[in-house]
Amino acid sequence: MQQQSAIYGQWRHVFKLDPDREISDEALDAICMSGTDAIIVGGSSGVHYDNTVDLMSRIRRYEVTCALEVSNEESAVPGFDHYFIPLVLNTGDAEWIAGRQIRALRKFGAFIPWEHTSAEGYLILNPDSVVARLTGAQTDLDADGVGAHVYMADRLMRLPIVYLEYSGKFGDMELIKRVGRMLTSAQLFYGGGIDTADKARQAARIAHTVIVGNIIYDSLEAALTTVQAVHDIAIGQFHE
Ligand code: 1GP
């Protein structure tokens, strides 16, 4: 975990907001003022320039750090604090590793703020998630299969972030612990199914950065409890 100098190096808790979902001003105010370390804007489908600009400008009324996870070139909007480019490592479809990214770089490579841009090595592990279906992710990996992908991301490709994505489902904490112990330089992002303070604490013990999405739209109150829960677990306590 040597990413302390990157903008996301100290992030413990992150809310992920989807431009394709409605959020009231009151709910957005609560999220932005919650004490979360950052907001990532991103989604698997229905994300385009207009709804991304709209959400960004609403979040920009607040001081909270705000990053964009660029999942398609139409949603590449200037003005965010940081940009994440996902590479889906566990798909057989190269389109999601170096297909659409290369097409976007051909057009926009010279204009990308590289010092504010980072690749995320995604491992998508919930077969029922929209993103798994969209990307053709091979989610039926055993522990060694997951480990091989982590070697690929952390050691061979030296990606700055490994993102274990269980979107919509709480993940296998033992597996995540194992991944955390394998990493030598990548920062571990975990996201998926966190809908209580207890689950947030469990994830915070083993992942560097805990990402909370869906529950914002289902129960704002429950979502807000995850911020303190994650921050209660001191950095450095993870991996124990
Ligand atoms: C989704 O990892 C995030 O990309 C968070 O997952 O929506 O299940 O909280 P949830």
Side-chain angles (χ1 to χ4, degrees):
M1 304 288 167
Q2 284 131 29
Q3 301 299 322
Q4 308 303 314
S5 59
I7 191 173
Y8 52 82
Q10 302 287 348
W11 293 357
R12 291 286 282 142
H13 182 282
V14 171
F15 278 126
K16 192 183 270 191
L17 290 176
D18 186 341
D20 194 34
R21 295 182 80 169
E22 300 258 320
I23 186 164
S24 68
D25 286 342
E26 294 71 29
L28 191 66
D29 182 75
I31 291 295
C32 292
M33 299 298 286
S34 65
T36 187
D37 298 307
I39 292 174
I40 293 179
V41 170
S44 307
S45 63
V47 180
H48 48 74
Y49 195 89
D50 289 348
N51 57 14
T52 304
V53 166
D54 181 58
L55 184 55
M56 181 186 74
S57 56
R58 292 173 70 203
I59 297 168
R60 279 295 190 218
R61 295 179 199 144
Y62 300 87
E63 283 184 16
V64 66
T65 301
C66 185
L68 177 67
E69 191 167 59
V70 189
S71 47
N72 62 54
E73 63 183 68
E74 297 78 53
S75 69
V77 170
F80 283 88
D81 296 311
H82 202 77
Y83 294 86
F84 293 110
I85 311 293
L87 312 179
V88 180
L89 301 179
N90 62 325
T91 173
D93 184 353
E95 174 67 10
W96 298 98
I97 307 170
R100 44 183 43 223
Q101 297 88 343
I102 296 285
R103 284 198 298 282
L105 292 174
R106 177 188 280 265
K107 279 200 229 163
F108 305 119
F111 308 104
I112 289 176
W114 288 109
E115 65 282 18
H116 303 299
T117 302
S118 308
E120 298 168 315
Y122 254 75
L123 259 174
I124 299 173
L125 295 168
N126 174 11
D128 301 322
S129 60
V130 173
V131 68
R133 284 195 293 270
L134 183 70
T135 60
Q138 292 159 358
T139 56
D140 56 341
L141 297 171
D142 61 10
D144 288 342
V146 170
H149 284 80
V150 172
Y151 281 133
M152 176 84 179
D154 179 63
R155 312 278 178 117
L156 280 180
M157 298 173 85
R158 294 176 196 256
L159 296 175
I161 295 160
V162 169
Y163 192 136
L164 293 186
E165 171 67 288
Y166 279 86
S167 181
K169 175 183 157 190
F170 193 56
D172 176 345
M173 292 294 119
E174 279 308 309
L175 187 64
I176 292 152
K177 193 184 288 182
R178 195 180 138 139
V179 168
R181 289 189 176 129
M182 287 179 69
L183 294 177
T184 56
S185 62
Q187 182 166 330
L188 181 57
F189 281 18
Y190 168 80
I194 293 179
D195 52 10
T196 62
D198 182 55
K199 286 180 189 163
R201 269 190 292 272
Q202 288 183 54
R205 285 194 186 96
I206 51 185
H208 192 121
T209 304
V210 174
I211 297 168
V212 176
N214 268 306
I215 191 66
I216 298 166
Y217 303 94
D218 296 339
S219 168
L220 180 63
E221 209 177 320
L224 294 172
T225 67
T226 65
V227 179
Q228 191 59 47
V230 168
H231 286 153
D232 281 346
I233 310 293
I235 198 151
Q237 241 178 293
F238 59 89
H239 288 189
E240 281 170 7

